[in-house]
Amino acid sequence: MTERSPPYQAPAPEHLSGSIERVTFHSQESGFCVLRVKVRGQRDLVTVIGSAACVTPGEYLECQGEWINDRQHGLQFKAAQLRSVPPSTLEGIERYLGSGMVKGIGPHFARKLVHAFGERVFDVIEDNPEALLTLPGIGPKRQARVTSAWAEQKVIREIMVFLQSHGVGTARAVRIYKTYGDEAIARVTENPYRLALDIHGIGFKTADAIAQRLGIAPDSLMRAQAGVRHCLQEVAGNGHCAAFREVLAEQAVKLLEIPPPVIEQAIRAEVREENLVEESIDARPALFLTPLQRAEQGIALGMRRLQLRLPPWGHIDPERAIPWVEGRTGLNLSPSQRTAVAAAIKGKITVITGGPGVGKTTVVRSILDILAAKGVEMLLCAPTGRAAKRLAESTGREARTIHRLLEFDPKAMGFKRDQYSPLETHLVVVDECSMVDVVLMNQLLRAVPTAAAVLLVGDVDQLPSVGPGAVLADLIGSGVLPTCRLTEVFRQAAASRIIVNAHRINAGRMPERAEEGPVDSDFYLIPCTSPEEIQDRLMRVVLERIPQRFDLDPVADVQVLTPMNRGGLGARSLNVALQQRLNPTATPRITRFGWTYAPGDKVIQLVNNYDKEVFNGDIGRITAIDQEDGLVQVEIDGRQVEYDLGELDELSLAYATTIHKAQGSEYPAVVIPLAVQHYMLLERNLLYTAVTRGRRLVVLIAEPRALAMAVKRVGSNQRLTRLRQRLLEAMADAAELTESSLS
């Protein structure tokens, strides 16, 4: 009889404790951290890796785990359980308070507090805050800020303990607290899926993980409904206004691993609760998020409403007006420009489209000059601050962002201008219309008085808006609105290789390669054989060639535009590489949400923030980091914008950014890496948009095969909308109304 070997027993975990000297890395999303810890009996600092909701230098650390010998980083303690507690030594308390954990307390003030109150400092802040006023340089304002920040931090820590146990990192916990306040735990427990709807940065997967830890059944209707809506939000995030019903159901089944009957029940429930709307597109059942369906309806009805009246300025004879404006400006308009001017001064809604160098600006200026001479009141707007600024410069008239024009109220999260409080104007001019999504276009049309006219200007061949819809393409494609397409490239513009090659790409032809010579071109094509060669050439072009040959600043004037975020040639990887070369020594440096920031860094806004009046795609420079108050100052379009450290997930580095994020912006110089690894996104309008972002210089560094793919590929990512059909239906109704009123 053979003896059985005893069952395997894992070795008991080891215990390690000490004070945190330095936080080398801490991911706010996952909680993963790399810490340097002073351990009694160890001469050198020990590296500890693990996960914690919040870690601060000076805290005392207690953890259980095992020692590992990492091939790259050497001996480390890998903590399976990691708990930090406030420090008890004076040195630890000072470092703890001075770490920026509490807004209003930095290193200088922390030293004062510890010197005055010693080990009692925590009790003083919490129970006897009036004592802080006895310290020099501390008035009621700072005292109030410190005590409120300390109280908030205490509540946040309690909430974070709950959330961390359910897989939520520190910064997300702060956002949950700011959204729900003291009711955070109750709200999350009641329906964790609301997090994905209410909190920026928390997706469905995080909410789903919390729900499962709270005991919500995987096949529950609550989970199925949340999953269905999440799938449709993902579709909307990719620019579509709807998804075909069977496709959405398949995606939800795959995501949730729930039987199809439960998903069908969830879809019916979401439609019944009016979260979703079901309609047909091309005779196939499709589902819309309710706000997007209503926005499409609103655009169609708004266009119909405006078309029912004649222009408020009455009849203007183009045969007299056009020669008058030509004499005034000294310009001779081409036949297509004359047609566009005539259409706009005769029509109620006019669309003008065309690529670079075809004279859109001249047409718009001519229209405005003619109408201004007739005393017409007009308002000019564009989707972004930069686009509005360019519109003002090109026309010599005031222009605002659409949000400012509509007087967005951040507190009410709505616009003051609408159908009940319309704009006071005879004409609304909207530039860069390709960037306007369905929701914003609907909001704008609601505020246009019925008597007023609308002039829409944009390049329909560029990428569609970041938000859902393809408004400009749908307005033109419907065929129901007067549309003027300018195609003639003027002689002066034809001298630019940027403009020539943009039109070649748009026509499906390969761009021409500039030959090196004594005269600088404004467009260069550098062929490469591998992604590694592309990155090497890109770094040399940005860091050396462009600054030396064109006297352009590599940070302020040069923008790297890449098709995607991930991968070796993605925006994230290129940003890290460029930051190391372009801003390596600036201090102080802070790490939040996976990015390290320092003064001088170039950053981009990732979401619309109406409180700060900064919008998705706005680019700025960090001017200062205040560790005492936990604030970061960013200069965006000539004004200072202030961010709390917990708001930095709204930013990322912007030495490189995606082409999608660059819509509506122009840069002195653009560098575009293009590799076969980008094949999923390689399309003609993507490359065309990237090339037309460069004002003085475009450098395209590409694998020839990738370039050929981008030039040839058209429309594989066509957005699913129903706006064209709605416009046709609405205008048909308008025609019937007009006929019946005349008969």
Side-chain angles (χ1 to χ4, degrees), residues 623-644:
T623 54
I625 294 175
D626 185 341
Q627 290 182 304
E628 290 279 340
D629 288 344
L631 298 173
V632 175
Q633 298 285 341
V634 181
E635 184 183 346
I636 298 175
D637 285 334
R639 64 188 185 92
Q640 292 292 327
V641 182
E642 189 174 87
Y643 293 81
D644 287 342

Side-chain angles (χ1 to χ4, degrees), residues 589-610:
R589 303 180 85 79
I590 55 163
T591 299
R592 289 292 187 279
F593 303 100
W595 292 107
T596 297
Y597 299 106
D601 274 334
K602 188 176 183 179
V603 292
I604 185 168
Q605 180 76 16
L606 301 176
V607 294
N608 291 338
N609 186 318
Y610 302 108

Side-chain angles (χ1 to χ4, degrees), residues 212-478:
Q212 290 186 39
R213 286 190 174 101
L214 289 170
I216 293 172
D219 60 351
S220 68
L221 189 59
M222 177 195 288
R223 181 170 184 260
Q225 284 186 240
V228 164
R229 205 183 322 173
H230 165 71
C231 287
L232 201 47
Q233 284 169 331
E234 289 282 293
V235 167
N238 291 325
H240 302 283
C241 289
F244 290 119
R245 182 175 179 135
E246 74 275 11
V247 174
L248 181 67
E250 286 171 12
Q251 288 177 344
V253 168
K254 186 176 179 181
L255 171 75
L256 302 173
E257 298 179 339
I258 290 177
V262 181
I263 297 298
E264 285 298 327
Q265 185 185 357
I267 290 173
R268 289 194 297 272
E270 286 288 285
V271 171
R272 190 168 57 250
E273 293 170 21
E274 298 185 355
N275 295 321
L276 308 183
V277 177
E278 186 166 14
E279 288 184 311
S280 289
I281 299 176
D282 298 331
R284 291 173 65 186
L287 290 160
F288 291 76
L289 290 168
T290 301
L292 299 185
Q293 189 263 358
R294 288 178 178 164
E296 282 197 353
Q297 277 188 331
I299 292 170
L301 294 174
M303 292 294 181
R304 184 184 73 172
R305 171 177 61 85
L306 293 172
Q307 285 283 57
L308 290 173
R309 295 268 196 97
L310 293 171
W313 49 78
H315 176 71
I316 298 175
D317 183 4
E319 296 297 324
R320 296 178 62 190
I322 292 172
W324 173 84
V325 82
E326 286 180 321
R328 190 170 182 272
T329 60
L331 296 171
N332 290 319
L333 299 179
S334 70
S336 63
Q337 288 180 314
R338 284 170 163 259
T339 302
V341 172
I345 62 177
K346 289 192 296 183
K348 196 73 188 310
I349 305 170
T350 311
V351 180
I352 296 174
T353 189
V358 297
K360 291 194 300 294
T361 299
T362 300
V363 168
V364 171
R365 206 162 46 221
S366 299
I367 294 164
L368 300 185
D369 285 349
I370 291 168
L371 295 179
K374 295 290 184 180
V376 173
E377 294 179 19
M378 53 191 75
L379 293 171
L380 280 63
C381 62
T384 66
R386 286 189 174 195
K389 187 177 179 182
R390 284 205 314 278
L391 179 60
E393 289 168 353
S394 66
T395 60
R397 304 174 192 277
E398 182 189 6
R400 286 173 271 182
T401 64
I402 297 173
H403 283 84
R404 282 201 171 186
L405 183 72
L406 300 180
E407 299 175 33
F408 185 82
D409 182 358
K411 292 179 181 175
M413 285 304 289
F415 295 96
K416 292 180 181 177
R417 294 290 186 174
D418 55 20
Q419 66 267 47
Y420 307 110
S421 179
L423 298 165
E424 295 164 10
T425 187
H426 298 131
L427 172 69
V428 176
V429 180
V430 190
D431 198 15
E432 293 286 0
C433 263
S434 63
M435 295 179 63
V436 183
D437 62 30
V438 288
V439 174
L440 189 56
M441 182 59 80
N442 180 43
Q443 295 286 0
L444 177 61
L445 290 176
R446 286 173 62 198
V448 177
T450 302
V454 175
L455 176 61
L456 304 172
V457 185
D459 185 350
V460 73
D461 295 317
Q462 286 190 27
L463 286 170
S465 55
V466 173
V471 175
L472 184 60
D474 285 343
L475 293 177
I476 294 170
S478 69

Side-chain angles (χ1 to χ4, degrees), residues 56-57 94-107 110 153 592 626-631 645:
T56 306
E94 183 180 323
R95 297 190 68 225
Y96 180 69
L97 286 174
S99 68
M101 177 199 74
V102 179
K103 191 175 176 181
I105 302 180
Q153 184 70 23
R592 289 292 187 279
D626 185 341
Q627 290 182 304
E628 290 279 340
D629 288 344
L631 298 173
L645 296 185

